[in-house]
């Protein structure tokens, strides 16, 4: 379960950074990119937000299995 916790923590970090990147590309920097890149950024925003939710649930499950406090 320690391995799952580390994987979930790493996944949270990756998804958060990717979400910030896609949000920047989709909104404030949109004029500098093609329409296909903007569409990909909007789709990425949805996927990475979902990734944050899934990895957070994995984190909670692993913390509970390790009998650690869940905040």
């Amino acid at each position: 379960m320690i391995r799952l916790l580390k994987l979930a923590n790493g996944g949270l970090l990756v998804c958060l950074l990717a979400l910030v990147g896609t949000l920047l590309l989709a909104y404030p920097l949109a004029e500098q990119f093609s329409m296909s890149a903007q569409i990909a950024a909007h789709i990425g925003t949805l996927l990475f937000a979902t990734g944050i939710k899934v990895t957070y649930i994995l984190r909670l499950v692993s913390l509970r299995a390790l009998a650690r406090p869940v905040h």
Side-chain angles (χ1 to χ4, degrees):
M1 278 298 153
I2 294 283
R3 184 172 177 224
L4 181 62
L5 180 61
K6 289 181 182 181
L7 179 69
N9 287 337
L12 274 171
L13 179 63
V14 168
C15 286
L16 179 64
L17 293 175
L19 179 63
V20 170
T22 57
L23 285 172
L24 288 173
L25 192 134
Y27 294 104
L29 303 175
E31 296 172 356
Q32 300 174 6
F33 293 96
S34 67
M35 184 59 71
S36 59
Q38 291 178 41
I39 291 169
H42 282 277
I43 292 170
T45 299
L46 293 172
L47 293 175
F48 291 121
T50 303
I52 288 174
K53 294 170 187 171
V54 170
T55 54
Y56 187 71
I57 291 169
L58 284 174
R59 184 177 188 278
L60 292 176
V61 167
S62 62
L63 284 173
R64 183 176 175 110
L66 292 168
R68 292 188 183 175
V70 178
H71 298 120

